[in-house]
Coordinates of all heavy atoms in Angstrom, one line a residue:
M1 N -24.5 58.9 24.0 CA -25.4 59.4 25.1 C -26.0 60.6 24.5 O -25.3 61.4 23.9 CB -24.5 59.6 26.3 CG -25.3 60.3 27.3 SD -24.5 60.4 28.9 CE -23.0 61.2 28.6
I2 N -27.3 60.9 24.8 CA -27.9 62.0 24.3 C -27.8 63.1 25.3 O -28.0 62.9 26.6 CB -29.5 61.7 24.1 CG1 -29.6 60.6 23.0 CG2 -30.2 63.0 23.7 CD1 -31.0 60.1 22.9
R3 N -27.5 64.3 24.9 CA -27.3 65.4 25.8 C -28.4 66.3 25.7 O -29.0 66.5 24.7 CB -26.0 66.2 25.5 CG -24.7 65.5 25.4 CD -24.0 65.4 26.7 NE -24.1 66.7 27.4 CZ -23.1 67.3 28.0 NH1 -21.8 66.8 27.9 NH2 -23.2 68.4 28.7
R4 N -28.8 66.9 26.8 CA -30.0 67.9 26.7 C -29.4 69.2 27.1 O -28.3 69.4 27.5 CB -31.0 67.5 27.8 CG -30.5 67.6 29.2 CD -31.7 67.3 30.2 NE -31.3 67.4 31.5 CZ -31.1 68.5 32.3 NH1 -31.4 69.6 31.7 NH2 -30.7 68.5 33.5
N5 N -30.2 70.2 26.7 CA -29.9 71.6 26.9 C -29.8 71.9 28.4 O -30.7 71.3 29.2 CB -30.8 72.5 26.2 CG -30.7 72.4 24.8 OD1 -29.6 72.1 24.2 ND2 -31.7 72.8 24.0
P6 N -28.9 72.7 28.9 CA -28.8 73.0 30.3 C -30.2 73.7 30.7 O -30.8 74.4 30.0 CB -27.6 73.8 30.5 CG -27.4 74.3 29.2 CD -27.9 73.3 28.2
T7 N -30.5 73.5 32.0 CA -31.8 74.2 32.6 C -31.3 75.5 33.0 O -30.3 75.7 33.8 CB -32.2 73.3 33.8 OG1 -32.5 72.0 33.3 CG2 -33.4 74.0 34.3
L8 N -31.9 76.4 32.5 CA -31.8 77.9 32.9 C -32.3 78.2 34.3 O -33.5 77.8 34.5 CB -32.2 78.8 31.7 CG -31.5 78.7 30.5 CD1 -32.1 79.5 29.4 CD2 -30.0 78.9 30.5
I9 N -31.7 78.8 35.1 CA -32.2 79.3 36.4 C -32.4 80.8 36.4 O -31.5 81.6 36.1 CB -31.3 78.9 37.5 CG1 -31.1 77.4 37.5 CG2 -31.7 79.4 38.8 CD1 -30.0 76.9 38.5
A10 N -33.6 81.2 36.6 CA -33.9 82.6 36.6 C -33.4 83.3 37.8 O -33.5 82.9 38.9 CB -35.4 82.9 36.6
M11 N -32.5 84.3 37.7 CA -31.8 85.1 38.7 C -32.1 86.6 38.6 O -32.0 87.0 37.4 CB -30.3 84.8 38.9 CG -30.0 83.3 39.3 SD -28.2 83.1 39.3 CE -27.8 84.0 40.8
S12 N -32.4 87.2 39.7 CA -32.6 88.6 39.5 C -31.2 89.3 39.8 O -30.2 88.7 40.3 CB -33.7 89.1 40.5 OG -33.1 88.9 41.9
D13 N -31.2 90.7 39.7 CA -30.0 91.3 40.0 C -29.6 91.3 41.3 O -28.4 91.3 41.7 CB -30.2 92.8 39.4 CG -30.2 92.9 37.9 OD1 -29.7 92.1 37.2 OD2 -30.7 93.9 37.4
A14 N -30.5 91.3 42.2 CA -30.3 91.1 43.6 C -29.7 89.8 44.0 O -28.7 89.8 44.8 CB -31.6 91.3 44.5
D15 N -30.1 88.8 43.3 CA -29.5 87.5 43.6 C -28.1 87.5 43.1 O -27.1 86.9 43.8 CB -30.1 86.3 42.8 CG -31.6 86.2 43.3 OD1 -31.9 86.4 44.5 OD2 -32.4 85.8 42.4
V16 N -27.7 88.1 42.0 CA -26.3 88.2 41.5 C -25.5 89.0 42.4 O -24.4 88.6 42.8 CB -26.3 88.8 40.1 CG1 -24.9 89.0 39.6 CG2 -27.0 87.9 39.1
Q17 N -26.0 90.1 42.9 CA -25.2 90.9 43.9 C -24.9 90.2 45.2 O -23.9 90.4 45.8 CB -26.1 92.2 44.1 CG -25.2 93.2 44.8 CD -23.9 93.6 44.1 OE1 -24.0 93.8 42.9 NE2 -22.9 93.8 44.8
D18 N -25.9 89.4 45.6 CA -25.7 88.6 46.9 C -24.6 87.7 46.7 O -23.7 87.5 47.6 CB -27.0 87.8 47.2 CG -28.1 88.7 47.7 OD1 -27.8 89.9 48.2 OD2 -29.3 88.3 47.7
V19 N -24.5 87.0 45.5 CA -23.5 86.1 45.2 C -22.1 86.8 45.2 O -21.1 86.3 45.7 CB -23.7 85.3 44.0 CG1 -22.5 84.4 43.6 CG2 -24.9 84.4 44.2
R20 N -22.0 87.9 44.6 CA -20.8 88.7 44.5 C -20.3 89.1 45.8 O -19.2 89.0 46.2 CB -21.1 89.9 43.5 CG -21.1 89.6 42.1 CD -21.3 90.8 41.2 NE -21.4 90.4 39.8 CZ -21.8 91.2 38.8 NH1 -22.2 92.4 39.2 NH2 -21.8 90.8 37.7
N21 N -21.3 89.6 46.6 CA -20.9 89.9 48.0 C -20.4 88.9 48.9 O -19.4 88.9 49.6 CB -22.1 90.6 48.8 CG -22.6 91.9 48.2 OD1 -21.8 92.6 47.5 ND2 -23.7 92.3 48.5
M22 N -21.0 87.6 48.7 CA -20.5 86.5 49.4 C -19.0 86.0 49.0 O -18.2 85.8 49.8 CB -21.5 85.3 49.2 CG -21.0 84.0 49.9 SD -22.0 82.6 49.4 CE -21.9 82.4 47.7
L23 N -18.8 86.1 47.7 CA -17.5 85.8 47.1 C -16.5 86.8 47.6 O -15.3 86.5 47.9 CB -17.6 85.8 45.6 CG -18.2 84.5 45.1 CD1 -18.3 84.6 43.5 CD2 -17.6 83.2 45.5
A24 N -16.9 88.0 47.6 CA -15.9 89.1 48.0 C -15.6 88.9 49.5 O -14.4 89.1 50.0 CB -16.5 90.5 47.8
K25 N -16.6 88.5 50.3 CA -16.4 88.3 51.8 C -15.4 87.1 51.9 O -14.5 87.2 52.8 CB -17.7 88.0 52.4 CG -17.5 87.9 54.0 CD -18.9 87.6 54.6 CE -18.7 87.4 56.0 NZ -20.0 87.1 56.8
K26 N -15.6 86.0 51.2 CA -14.7 84.8 51.3 C -13.3 85.3 50.9 O -12.4 84.8 51.6 CB -15.2 83.8 50.5 CG -16.4 82.9 51.0 CD -16.7 81.7 50.1 CE -17.8 80.9 50.8 NZ -18.1 79.7 50.0
Q27 N -13.2 86.0 49.9 CA -11.8 86.4 49.4 C -11.1 87.3 50.4 O -9.9 87.1 50.7 CB -11.8 87.2 48.0 CG -12.2 86.2 46.9 CD -12.4 86.9 45.6 OE1 -12.5 88.1 45.6 NE2 -12.5 86.1 44.5
A28 N -11.9 88.2 51.0 CA -11.4 89.0 52.1 C -10.9 88.3 53.4 O -9.9 88.5 54.0 CB -12.4 90.1 52.5
D29 N -11.7 87.2 53.7 CA -11.4 86.4 54.8 C -10.1 85.5 54.5 O -9.2 85.3 55.4 CB -12.5 85.4 55.1 CG -13.7 86.1 55.8 OD1 -13.6 87.3 56.3 OD2 -14.8 85.5 55.9
G30 N -9.9 85.2 53.3 CA -8.8 84.4 52.8 C -7.4 85.3 52.9 O -6.4 84.8 53.2
V31 N -7.6 86.6 52.6 CA -6.5 87.5 52.6 C -6.2 87.7 54.1 O -4.9 87.9 54.3 CB -6.9 88.9 51.8 CG1 -5.8 89.9 52.0 CG2 -7.1 88.5 50.4
K32 N -7.1 87.9 54.9 CA -6.8 88.2 56.3 C -6.1 87.1 57.0 O -5.2 87.2 57.7 CB -8.1 88.6 57.0 CG -8.6 89.9 56.7 CD -10.0 90.1 57.4 CE -10.7 91.3 57.0 NZ -11.9 91.6 57.7
N33 N -6.5 85.9 56.7 CA -6.0 84.7 57.4 C -5.6 83.7 56.4 O -6.2 82.7 56.2 CB -7.1 84.0 58.3 CG -7.6 85.0 59.4 OD1 -6.9 85.7 59.9 ND2 -9.0 84.9 59.6
P34 N -4.4 83.9 55.8 CA -3.9 82.9 54.7 C -3.6 81.6 55.3 O -3.7 80.6 54.6 CB -2.8 83.7 54.1 CG -2.3 84.6 55.0 CD -3.5 85.0 55.8
N35 N -3.2 81.5 56.5 CA -2.7 80.2 57.0 C -3.9 79.5 57.7 O -3.7 78.4 58.2 CB -1.6 80.5 58.2 CG -0.3 81.0 57.4 OD1 -0.1 80.7 56.3 ND2 0.4 81.8 58.1
S36 N -5.1 80.1 57.9 CA -6.2 79.4 58.6 C -6.6 78.2 57.9 O -6.9 77.2 58.4 CB -7.3 80.3 58.8 OG -7.9 80.6 57.6
N37 N -6.5 78.2 56.5 CA -6.9 77.0 55.7 C -5.9 75.9 55.7 O -6.2 74.8 55.9 CB -7.2 77.4 54.2 CG -8.3 78.2 54.0 OD1 -9.3 78.3 54.9 ND2 -8.4 79.0 52.9
A38 N -4.6 76.3 55.9 CA -3.6 75.3 56.0 C -3.7 74.6 57.3 O -3.4 73.4 57.3 CB -2.3 76.0 55.8
K39 N -4.0 75.4 58.3 CA -4.0 74.8 59.6 C -5.2 73.8 59.7 O -5.0 72.7 60.3 CB -4.2 75.8 60.8 CG -3.0 76.7 61.0 CD -3.2 77.6 62.1 CE -1.9 78.6 62.2 NZ -2.3 79.7 63.2
A40 N -6.3 74.1 59.2 CA -7.5 73.3 59.1 C -7.2 72.0 58.4 O -7.6 70.9 58.8 CB -8.7 74.0 58.6
K41 N -6.4 72.2 57.3 CA -6.2 71.0 56.5 C -5.2 70.1 57.2 O -5.2 68.9 57.1 CB -5.6 71.4 55.1 CG -6.5 72.0 54.2 CD -5.9 72.4 52.9 CE -6.9 73.1 52.0 NZ -6.2 73.5 50.8
G42 N -4.3 70.6 57.9 CA -3.3 69.7 58.7 C -3.9 69.1 59.8 O -3.4 68.0 60.2
K43 N -5.0 69.5 60.4 CA -5.6 68.9 61.5 C -6.7 67.8 61.1 O -7.2 67.2 61.9 CB -6.4 70.0 62.4 CG -5.5 70.9 63.0 CD -6.3 71.9 63.9 CE -5.4 72.9 64.6 NZ -6.1 73.9 65.3
Q44 N -6.9 67.5 59.8 CA -7.8 66.6 59.3 C -7.4 65.2 59.6 O -8.1 64.3 59.5 CB -8.2 66.9 58.0 CG -9.0 68.2 57.8 CD -9.3 68.4 56.2 OE1 -8.8 67.7 55.4 NE2 -10.0 69.4 55.9
G45 N -6.0 65.0 59.7 CA -5.5 63.6 59.8 C -4.9 63.1 58.6 O -4.6 63.9 57.7
P46 N -4.6 61.8 58.6 CA -3.9 61.2 57.4 C -4.8 61.5 56.2 O -6.0 61.4 56.3 CB -3.6 59.9 57.8 CG -4.6 59.7 58.9 CD -4.9 60.9 59.6
P47 N -4.2 61.6 55.0 CA -5.1 61.6 53.7 C -5.8 60.3 53.5 O -5.4 59.2 53.9 CB -4.1 61.9 52.6 CG -2.6 61.5 53.2 CD -2.9 61.6 54.7
L48 N -6.8 60.3 53.0 CA -7.7 59.2 52.7 C -7.1 58.4 51.5 O -6.5 58.9 50.6 CB -9.1 59.6 52.3 CG -9.9 60.4 53.3 CD1 -11.4 60.8 52.6 CD2 -10.3 59.5 54.5
Q49 N -7.2 57.0 51.7 CA -6.6 56.2 50.6 C -7.6 56.1 49.4 O -8.9 56.2 49.8 CB -6.4 54.8 51.2 CG -5.3 54.8 52.3 CD -5.1 53.4 52.7 OE1 -5.8 52.5 52.4 NE2 -4.1 53.2 53.6
P50 N -7.1 56.0 48.3 CA -8.1 55.9 47.1 C -8.9 54.6 47.2 O -8.4 53.7 47.8 CB -7.1 56.0 45.9 CG -5.8 55.6 46.4 CD -5.8 56.0 47.8
P51 N -10.1 54.7 46.7 CA -11.0 53.5 46.8 C -10.3 52.3 46.0 O -9.5 52.5 45.1 CB -12.2 53.9 46.1 CG -12.0 55.1 45.4 CD -10.7 55.7 46.0
V52 N -10.6 51.1 46.5 CA -9.9 50.0 45.9 C -10.4 49.8 44.5 O -9.6 49.3 43.6 CB -10.4 48.7 46.7 CG1 -9.9 47.4 46.0 CG2 -10.0 48.8 48.1
T53 N -11.6 50.2 44.1 CA -12.1 50.1 42.8 C -11.3 50.9 41.7 O -11.3 50.6 40.6 CB -13.5 50.5 42.7 OG1 -13.7 51.9 43.2 CG2 -14.4 49.6 43.5
A54 N -10.6 52.0 42.3 CA -9.8 52.8 41.3 C -8.7 51.9 40.6 O -8.5 52.2 39.5 CB -9.1 53.9 42.1
V55 N -8.1 51.0 41.4 CA -7.0 50.1 40.7 C -7.8 49.2 39.7 O -7.2 49.0 38.6 CB -6.4 49.4 41.8 CG1 -5.4 48.3 41.2 CG2 -5.6 50.2 42.8
H56 N -8.9 48.7 40.1 CA -9.6 47.8 39.2 C -10.0 48.5 37.9 O -9.8 47.9 36.8 CB -10.8 47.2 39.8 CG -11.7 46.5 38.9 ND1 -11.4 45.2 38.5 CD2 -13.0 46.6 38.4 CE1 -12.3 44.7 37.7 NE2 -13.2 45.6 37.7
V57 N -10.5 49.7 38.0 CA -10.8 50.5 36.8 C -9.7 50.7 35.8 O -9.7 50.6 34.7 CB -11.5 51.9 37.2 CG1 -11.7 52.8 36.0 CG2 -12.7 51.6 37.9
T58 N -8.5 51.1 36.5 CA -7.3 51.3 35.6 C -6.9 50.0 35.0 O -6.4 50.0 33.9 CB -6.1 52.0 36.4 OG1 -5.9 51.2 37.5 CG2 -6.5 53.3 36.8
D59 N -6.9 48.9 35.7 CA -6.5 47.6 35.1 C -7.4 47.2 34.0 O -6.9 46.7 32.9 CB -6.5 46.5 36.2 CG -5.4 46.7 37.2 OD1 -4.5 47.3 36.9 OD2 -5.6 46.1 38.4
E60 N -8.7 47.4 34.2 CA -9.7 47.1 33.2 C -9.4 48.1 32.0 O -9.5 47.5 30.8 CB -11.1 47.3 33.7 CG -12.2 46.9 32.8 CD -13.5 47.0 33.4 OE1 -13.7 47.0 34.7 OE2 -14.5 47.2 32.6
A61 N -9.2 49.2 32.1 CA -8.9 50.2 31.0 C -7.6 49.7 30.3 O -7.7 49.8 29.0 CB -8.8 51.6 31.6
T62 N -6.7 49.3 31.0 CA -5.4 49.0 30.4 C -5.7 47.6 29.5 O -5.1 47.4 28.5 CB -4.3 48.6 31.5 OG1 -4.1 49.7 32.4 CG2 -2.9 48.1 30.9
R63 N -6.4 46.6 30.1 CA -6.7 45.4 29.4 C -7.6 45.8 28.1 O -7.3 45.2 27.0 CB -7.6 44.4 30.3 CG -6.7 43.7 31.1 CD -7.4 42.6 31.9 NE -7.6 43.1 33.2 CZ -8.8 43.1 33.9 NH1 -9.7 42.6 33.4 NH2 -8.8 43.5 35.1
K64 N -8.5 46.7 28.2 CA -9.3 47.1 27.0 C -8.3 47.7 25.9 O -8.5 47.4 24.8 CB -10.4 48.1 27.4 CG -11.6 47.3 28.1 CD -12.6 48.4 28.5 CE -13.8 47.8 29.1 NZ -14.9 48.7 29.4
R65 N -7.5 48.6 26.4 CA -6.5 49.2 25.5 C -5.6 48.2 24.8 O -5.4 48.3 23.5 CB -5.7 50.3 26.2 CG -4.8 51.0 25.2 CD -4.1 52.1 25.9 NE -3.6 51.9 27.3 CZ -2.4 51.2 27.6 NH1 -1.7 50.8 26.7 NH2 -2.1 51.1 28.9
E66 N -5.1 47.3 25.6 CA -4.2 46.2 25.0 C -4.9 45.3 24.1 O -4.5 44.9 23.1 CB -3.6 45.4 26.1 CG -2.6 46.3 27.0 CD -2.1 45.5 28.1 OE1 -2.6 44.4 28.5 OE2 -1.1 45.9 28.8
A67 N -6.2 44.9 24.4 CA -7.0 44.1 23.5 C -7.3 44.8 22.2 O -7.2 44.3 21.1 CB -8.3 43.7 24.2
R68 N -7.6 46.2 22.3 CA -7.8 47.0 21.1 C -6.6 47.1 20.2 O -6.6 46.8 19.0 CB -8.3 48.4 21.5 CG -8.6 49.3 20.2 CD -9.0 50.7 20.8 NE -9.2 51.5 19.7 CZ -8.3 52.5 19.3 NH1 -7.2 52.5 19.8 NH2 -8.5 53.3 18.2
E69 N -5.4 47.3 20.8 CA -4.1 47.4 20.1 C -3.8 46.0 19.4 O -3.3 46.1 18.3 CB -3.0 47.8 21.0 CG -3.2 49.3 21.4 CD -2.1 49.7 22.5 OE1 -1.3 48.8 22.9 OE2 -2.0 50.8 22.8
E70 N -4.2 44.9 20.2 CA -3.9 43.6 19.5 C -4.8 43.3 18.3 O -4.4 42.9 17.3 CB -4.2 42.5 20.7 CG -3.8 41.1 20.2 CD -4.1 40.1 21.3 OE1 -3.9 40.4 22.4 OE2 -4.4 39.0 20.9
R71 N -6.1 43.8 18.4 CA -6.9 43.6 17.3 C -6.5 44.4 16.1 O -6.6 44.0 14.9 CB -8.4 44.0 17.7 CG -9.1 43.0 18.5 CD -10.6 43.4 18.6 NE -10.9 44.8 18.9 CZ -11.1 45.4 20.0 NH1 -11.0 44.7 21.2 NH2 -11.4 46.6 20.1
L72 N -6.0 45.6 16.4 CA -5.6 46.5 15.3 C -4.2 46.2 14.9 O -3.7 46.7 13.9 CB -5.7 48.0 15.7 CG -7.0 48.5 16.1 CD1 -6.8 49.9 16.7 CD2 -7.9 48.5 14.9
G73 N -3.5 45.3 15.5 CA -2.1 44.9 15.1 C -1.0 46.0 15.4 O -0.1 46.1 14.6
L74 N -1.3 46.7 16.5 CA -0.4 47.8 16.8 C 0.8 47.3 17.7 O 0.7 46.5 18.6 CB -1.0 49.0 17.5 CG -2.0 49.7 16.7 CD1 -2.8 50.8 17.5 CD2 -1.4 50.3 15.5

């Protein structure tokens, strides 16, 4: 796969300061209410099940690995 150089985004000093202020505010909110995130996570309901294709992908990867090992005589 051919990789390209990352696209540079022009940002001024004011943009950087805005981001820093936002992160500082989020961290301050997290320090004030450390359990607020835990409560929100608990109210979301049961965890989502992994997609069915995830099992298929691992089975396929296992078959490919076994076929490679068989060809190489491992």
